[in-house]
Amino acid sequence: MITEIREADAAELDIYARESENKLRHYYEPRGGLFIAESPKVIRRALDAGYEPVSFLLEKKHITGEMKEILESCGEVQVFTAELPVLESITGYKLTGGALCAMKRKELPKAESLLVRCGEEYSRIDENSTPKSRSRVAVIANVENPTNVGAIIRSAAAMGMDAVFLTRDCSDPLFRRAIRVSMGTVFQVPWTYIDSLGELKEAGYRLAAMALTDDSVRLDDEALGRENRLAIVVGNEGDGLSREMLDICDYAVKIPMHNQVDSLNAAAAAAVAFWELR
């Protein structure tokens, strides 16, 4: 059903205009909440991953344009529409692609089951009867900026990480900005939360912390490349990893740099590490 917006204070628009993302996260408790996907490309990736749409908020031109096929595939889902300036006055921010979709969250996999899945993938024989040589996972620890979380997940997907694990003090990967920056890859690479790094060690992973310490090894150290199961741990944008986390890790790893630059943004460092250790 398509409804042209005439009253911005309609209750049906609350999830786009007046509810915080934290509140949306708990919208249906005790069941999963909602999140907002932005732009046609990202919405398509979420739908392809099995996420259920609740409603759409679209620029008028998309009804018969870029979103037409997507809308037809969703059946009887409520669609709100207006010209772009009206939409942006409702949401309070500039829309990427002129399209938003409120979607239901899915239950996340348990860390233990996802680690088992990664282990099974590691031992799998491919079509050429060649065992997959290594398993690589990413760990995001206390990264508070949703833009950085999204960028790290996008790099993890692009560089072939088997999964992404987040500590519970990270920004939510399903916040709108995180989803947008990830370009929807948050729907393509498996991820979940962990309570401690010890869960990965118990599953047989060696932990490589991205950190500048006195005993840091270079990212291209041959010992890292020989590890069969390796988890690459990226810490907080400002403070890095806690002493407790560093003590659990098997390696502290640094990226060799020039021109007296001592560090990179967390997302940039993650991309370099994922590429080198993929």
Side-chain angles (χ1 to χ4, degrees):
M1 182 172 66
I2 298 174
T3 302
E4 185 168 352
I5 296 169
R6 300 192 183 281
E7 296 183 6
D9 60 353
E12 295 91 340
L13 298 177
D14 284 351
I15 55 179
Y16 298 104
R18 287 171 286 278
E19 302 287 14
S20 70
E21 290 192 284
N22 277 321
K23 190 167 183 179
L24 290 179
R25 187 176 184 176
H26 304 286
Y27 204 77
Y28 289 131
E29 282 192 337
R31 294 176 296 152
L34 300 176
F35 67 90
I36 304 295
E38 182 179 5
S39 85
K41 182 175 183 177
V42 168
I43 291 169
R44 168 53 69 193
R45 284 184 168 173
L47 292 171
D48 288 346
Y51 286 87
E52 180 183 347
V54 173
S55 66
F56 293 88
L57 182 63
L58 303 178
E59 188 178 359
K60 261 187 179 181
K61 68 178 184 180
H62 284 317
I63 301 298
T64 56
E66 193 171 358
M67 289 289 294
K68 182 175 184 293
E69 183 180 338
I70 291 175
L71 295 178
E72 290 173 348
S73 72
C74 292
E76 296 298 318
V77 177
Q78 179 69 64
V79 179
F80 300 100
T81 184
E83 298 295 347
L84 187 59
V86 176
L87 298 183
E88 292 183 345
S89 70
I90 292 170
T91 61
Y93 52 81
K94 183 174 177 62
L95 269 67
T96 301
L100 297 174
C101 181
M103 292 184 155
K104 293 182 179 179
R105 289 172 179 259
K106 295 196 296 185
E107 184 176 356
L108 290 173
K110 301 294 185 184
E112 181 180 8
S113 64
L114 185 50
L115 284 164
V116 168
R117 193 191 315 171
C118 291
E120 290 172 346
E121 178 70 10
Y122 161 70
S123 60
R124 177 182 61 83
I125 304 296
D126 68 18
E127 61 274 13
N128 298 316
S129 299
T130 303
K132 184 175 178 181
S133 60
R134 297 180 296 184
S135 177
R136 297 291 185 259
V137 300
V139 181
I140 308 175
N142 189 26
V143 173
E144 300 172 344
N145 187 318
T147 298
N148 280 336
V149 169
I152 293 170
I153 290 175
R154 184 176 181 181
S155 294
M159 304 305 166
M161 296 294 107
D162 296 322
V164 176
F165 297 90
L166 301 98
T167 60
R168 296 188 183 276
D169 47 8
C170 282
S171 181
D172 184 358
L174 292 184
F175 277 176
R176 180 183 60 86
R177 282 174 57 206
I179 296 171
R180 187 187 69 205
V181 172
S182 83
M183 289 300 294
T185 55
V186 67
F187 306 121
Q188 297 175 304
V189 61
W191 63 272
T192 195
Y193 290 100
I194 54 171
D195 293 313
S196 74
L197 296 182
E199 295 177 63
L200 289 106
K201 298 204 79 167
E202 290 173 5
Y205 282 84
R206 302 268 281 172
L207 306 182
M210 301 301 297
L212 294 173
T213 64
D214 292 339
D215 59 349
S216 293
V217 299
R218 288 169 54 105
L219 184 61
D220 55 0
D221 190 289
E222 292 182 359
L224 293 167
R226 289 194 295 266
E227 294 290 355
N228 288 328
R229 297 187 183 188
L230 189 67
I232 303 159
V233 187
V234 182
N236 177 271
E237 298 92 337
D239 300 326
L241 294 165
S242 68
R243 184 70 259 172
E244 180 182 5
M245 285 189 170
L246 287 173
D247 288 343
I248 294 173
C249 291
D250 302 285
Y251 300 94
V253 181
K254 62 183 177 183
I255 300 171
M257 299 187 194
H258 302 277
N259 296 316
Q260 298 181 321
V261 176
D262 60 0
S263 65
L264 296 174
N265 167 275
V272 174
F274 297 161
W275 167 258
E276 178 66 28
L277 298 174
R278 68 199 187 288

